Amino acid sequence: MRMLRIALASLTTRWPSLLGAFLALVLGVAMTAVMLLGLAAAVEAPPGGEESVSLVAALGTAGGVSVFVSAFVVASTYSYAVVRRRRELGLLRLAGATRAQVRRTVLAEALLLAAAASAVGCGLGRFGAPLLIRWLAGVGMAPAGFAPSGSVWPLHAAFWTGLLVALGGVAVAARRAGRVGPLDALSAADADTGVLTPGRLVLGLGLLLGAAVLAGTALATDPADLLHRKTYTTRPMWLICACGLLSPLLAPPLVRGLGRLLPARLFGHAGRLARANAGSALRRTGAVAAPVLVAVALTGSLAGALDTVSAARGAEAAARTSADLVVVPGSAPTAPTARLVAALGTVPGVDAVCATAPTRLALVEPDGVPVRAEARAAAPAGLTALARLPLLAGTPAALDDDALVLPAEWGRTVGERVPVIRADGSRTALRVAAVLRDGLAADGLYVTPANAPGARVDRIELRLAPGADRTAALAAARATATPYGATVLTRADWLAVAAPATGRIARLRTALVLGLAVVYTGITLAGTLLTTTADRRRELALLRLAGATRAQVVRLVTAESVLVAAVGAALGCAVTAAQLATMHAALAALGVPAPWALPWRPVGLVTAGAVALAALCTAPATVWVLRARPVIAAAR
């Protein structure tokens, strides 16, 4: 009870310095509660088919990202809040408090503060969830009947998660503070030593090694897994945690390198002092850089992954066909498609024709479970002439009414019989004619029209003979197709339609995952900057007593904040580069010639926003801190 009373008294007197930690936890719990309430609403909504499944997946991913971001930032903020109190804790030890009592006091303060912050955050989450639900319905991501959930489990999950994260962030720092002797605590109160402990180093290196092993294993066994949304959303978290733990090792060289880029005309000698301060006060540097690291790394990784997969799909679609022209039959053809195909084969300059139709099959697994899959029906001669299939075994020329072509992910071999359920429900067993290398396309299965009852041709590919006049052939093909209600597209025009850039819904899903997280990290960064600047009152007063003018001190602290924000952005860019390099290695293993899609714009916007926020928050806060007379402030 005595330690609890001391904790209450400390919170009452020190509440201004704890606002940053309190705000970080409030917003983190609120963000988590909003996403979990949205997820509960999606799960409870009436079944809406694929749209509902997609929404549940998107909200589940967004909820996981929210929990990770808030946990990472809150743990860093609370840990730094304990470190700032080394002098106070040293005085408690001098007054006779034991190590266990110091630890209990710190944990009791964290528990009280976290309980209050989590409760406030749950209230904000309950208020914000209907806003999220209305936005989802307004942009077309939610099915009909999507309404706020009355479930309470999301609030419980958010509350207890916030409490555990806060206590976890404080526990290690409290244990370290309790082990320091009274005189040692006072003598080292202003020195940042022992930041990179052996445990922290081992854990950081272990996370890096774990991320490398997981990526290497996936590349060797299932490269396509690295291109799935859940995978490229979660893997950067390993690297973010590793960078956060190893920041005392990584930050000094980055501070020295980026510090030289500070414009001397604006900062002058303050640039040197800023480098020295940021490189020596590593705990403060880590606390400020953490939100920027998370924001830049997640933005770059998710936006870059989205663009990379989109570019890869386009490159794969282009690589899998040799068509020069593509004819798309109308929704209401005026004549049988077979007559259109025959007529296109007589167009001058056309060398080969391949008509394909989409169909659905169900392949029966050895345990008797049918697995649905998209397939395309095509005549063997046309498929062999125009398709550039990534063969692993067999040949598409062996495709007939008793065979099929499938990707390697099905685990079948050439010549093996596969039980198949056709689109009309009829059953048969087809021989594997060829096995394709796995790729990004969902239509790697091919059968003949005889095994696709009811399938309607939606694409007719035309290959021109070498030396044919392309303009004349295009005009002739259009003249032939127009009476049938069909449209003729060039290869480039068809690829733009068949493999378009990232769609609107995919962009909205990414905005859902990143939006609140980036806003949260920005607000947390602002709160951390205001708190850390206020804690430097004595240090800045000593600078004033040493002869520095008020303007020089403001430039110094602002330059340091901008530099630390740039360090966090650099670490975030390193995580992004590692993530995109892994994805390109997976694409190379799959044989997909994808160009690099670097997310310069989103990363640049987030980085510029972080740097601008650092300057805009630090300069006024420094002016406010310097309002007192230096002699009085230095004596405190």
Side-chain angles (χ1 to χ4, degrees):
M1 287 297 294
R2 182 182 302 172
M3 292 297 104
L4 184 60
R5 287 197 298 270
I6 293 175
L8 282 171
S10 177
L11 289 175
T12 303
T13 56
R14 296 180 55 257
W15 66 267
S17 63
L18 296 172
L19 280 178
F22 182 81
L23 179 65
L25 187 55
V26 166
L27 295 177
V29 171
M31 178 174 63
T32 302
V34 166
M35 290 301 176
L36 293 181
L37 285 169
L39 178 61
V43 171
E44 296 170 4
E50 186 177 348
E51 187 181 24
S52 295
V53 174
S54 177
L55 180 62
V56 170
L59 285 170
T61 302
V65 171
S66 299
V67 171
F68 168 76
V69 171
S70 58
F72 184 85
V73 174
V74 167
S76 175
T77 305
Y78 270 67
S79 177
Y80 178 66
V82 175
V83 170
R84 295 201 316 266
R85 301 178 56 198
R86 281 175 296 173
R87 182 179 293 276
E88 176 189 340
L89 298 178
L91 288 173
L92 280 176
R93 295 283 283 124
L94 276 178
T98 64
R99 295 179 179 179
Q101 287 174 328
V102 170
R103 287 197 295 269
R104 286 199 297 270
T105 300
V106 173
L107 289 173
E109 289 182 17
L111 179 62
L112 293 172
L113 190 68
S118 296
V120 175
C122 286
L124 291 177
R126 173 64 82 178
F127 174 77
L131 301 178
L132 173 67
I133 289 172
R134 282 200 294 271
W135 179 79
L136 291 172
V139 299
M141 289 183 64
F146 189 54
S149 170
S151 301
V152 296
W153 69 261
L155 299 178
H156 282 286
F159 180 88
W160 293 110
T161 298
L163 208 62
L164 292 175
V165 166
L167 291 177
V170 168
V172 177
R175 183 170 178 269
R176 190 185 308 124
R179 288 187 304 180
V180 178
L183 297 179
D184 291 338
L186 291 178
S187 63
D190 291 327
D192 239 355
T193 57
V195 181
L196 187 62
T197 60
R200 183 171 182 168
L201 178 62
V202 170
L203 184 57
L205 293 177
L207 286 173
L208 280 180
L209 180 61
V213 169
L214 287 175
T217 303
L219 286 172
T221 59
D222 186 13
D225 180 63
L226 293 171
L227 304 173
H228 295 160
R229 185 183 298 110
K230 288 185 178 179
T231 303
Y232 65 65
T233 300
T234 55
R235 284 193 184 274
M237 297 178 185
W238 290 70
L239 300 177
I240 291 171
C241 291
C243 287
L245 290 170
L246 298 176
S247 59
L249 183 66
L250 302 173
L254 287 174
V255 166
R256 289 192 295 270
L258 295 174
R260 294 188 176 90
L261 301 179
L262 290 174
R265 182 174 299 178
L266 290 178
F267 297 105
H269 293 291
R272 296 182 182 179
L273 290 175
R275 292 199 302 269
N277 284 342
S280 59
L282 292 176
R283 288 188 175 93
R284 184 172 67 230
T285 297
V288 174
V292 185
L293 163 62
V294 174
V296 173
L298 286 180
T299 300
S301 297
L302 297 187
L306 195 65
D307 291 341
T308 296
V309 171
S310 176
R313 291 186 188 279
E316 184 182 53
R320 287 198 171 191
T321 181
S322 60
D324 297 297
L325 303 175
V326 177
V327 181
V328 180
S331 56
T334 58
T337 306
R339 290 173 55 185
L340 172 61
V341 173
L344 290 171
T346 63
V347 172
V350 172
D351 183 48
V353 179
C354 178
T356 62
T359 188
R360 293 186 66 87
L361 298 176
L363 275 62
V364 182
E365 296 286 348
D367 58 2
V369 177
V371 180
R372 291 185 174 276
E374 300 290 338
R376 294 201 72 82
L383 188 67
T384 304
L386 274 89
R388 298 171 180 168
L389 301 179
L391 290 172
L392 285 179
T395 173
L399 179 66
D400 54 34
D401 293 343
D402 189 44
L404 81 167
V405 175
L406 46 66
E409 64 180 349
W410 290 95
R412 304 290 184 163
T413 58
V414 173
E416 183 180 355
R417 285 279 173 179
V418 181
V420 173
I421 303 176
R422 301 186 184 96
D424 62 353
S426 61
R427 292 174 176 262
T428 186
L430 300 179
R431 183 187 78 260
V432 177
V435 177
L436 308 181
R437 185 169 54 239
D438 292 331
L440 301 177
D443 56 355
L445 277 166
Y446 292 92
V447 294
T448 60
N451 289 305
R456 178 176 172 276
V457 172
D458 67 345
R459 186 169 81 221
I460 305 171
E461 300 177 21
L462 308 179
R463 188 182 66 195
L464 302 182
D469 187 334
R470 294 179 177 271
T471 303
L474 175 61
R478 284 176 173 166
T480 303
T482 299
Y484 294 89
T487 303
V488 181
L489 302 174
T490 62
R491 174 188 176 90
D493 291 340
W494 175 76
L495 288 174
V497 174
T502 305
R504 173 178 171 271
I505 295 298
R507 292 286 184 191
L508 288 173
R509 288 195 191 115
T510 303
L512 174 65
V513 174
L514 285 177
L516 282 180
V518 171
V519 172
Y520 167 69
T521 53
I523 296 174
T524 306
L525 174 62
T528 303
L529 287 168
L530 295 175
T531 303
T532 55
T533 305
D535 286 341
R536 301 175 67 181
R537 181 179 289 104
R538 184 171 181 273
E539 173 193 342
L540 302 183
L542 291 175
L543 280 174
R544 292 280 284 120
L545 291 175
T549 66
R550 191 185 302 267
Q552 288 174 329
V553 174
V554 172
R555 283 200 299 269
L556 165 63
V557 181
T558 302
E560 182 181 342
S561 296
V562 168
L563 178 57
V564 172
V567 168
L571 291 174
C573 289
V575 172
T576 299
Q579 170 72 4
L580 296 184
T582 302
M583 294 187 70
H584 273 269
L587 291 171
L590 293 173
V592 179
W596 282 87
L598 301 177
W600 295 113
R601 184 177 180 183
V603 169
L605 289 175
V606 173
T607 300
V611 170
L613 190 61
L616 292 175
C617 290
T618 304
T622 307
V623 172
W624 182 80
V625 168
L626 293 175
R627 74 193 188 286
R629 294 179 59 189
V631 174
I632 297 176
R636 292 178 180 176

